[in-house]
Amino acid sequence: MVVITLQRDKCIGCNYCVEMAPEQFAMSKKDGKSVLLHSKNKKGFFTIKSHDEGIFDNCEQASKACPVKIISVKKT
């Protein structure tokens, strides 16, 4: 299982996550910040759990590219 977490309130809207993993991330037209698609919000941390391990590599690249380091990607 792959667990992806985004701390959205600290997002600066650089768009790197969307470029690296467009199937998991999008930019909000409202505030210009990243959105983790299909995620659940728990106290400002947006999380998805997926059985599709094929998303791991792209999401890990997004995590490494993020200049404010607000994306966490783990395999469990």
Side-chain angles (χ1 to χ4, degrees), residues 12-32:
I12 60 170
C14 70
N15 202 44
Y16 288 148
C17 57
V18 177
E19 291 176 23
M20 301 292 174
E23 62 284 336
Q24 300 310 135
F25 295 94
M27 296 305 286
S28 170
K29 291 185 177 170
K30 268 187 183 176
D31 62 7

Side-chain angles (χ1 to χ4, degrees), residues 4-64:
I4 305 162
T5 304
L6 170 70
Q7 193 175 356
R8 191 171 186 278
D9 62 334
K10 294 187 177 180
C11 179
I12 60 170
C14 70
N15 202 44
Y16 288 148
C17 57
V18 177
E19 291 176 23
M20 301 292 174
E23 62 284 336
Q24 300 310 135
F25 295 94
M27 296 305 286
S28 170
K29 291 185 177 170
K30 268 187 183 176
D31 62 7
K33 292 185 177 189
S34 179
V35 175
L36 181 56
L37 301 174
H38 312 294
S39 63
K40 294 183 180 173
N41 181 8
K42 189 171 183 183
K43 296 183 181 178
F45 290 86
F46 291 79
T47 304
I48 59 169
K49 295 178 181 180
S50 175
H51 293 286
D52 179 8
E53 295 203 1
I55 67 171
F56 180 80
D57 290 337
N58 286 347
C59 291
E60 187 176 46
Q61 286 179 340
S63 174
K64 289 178 180 177

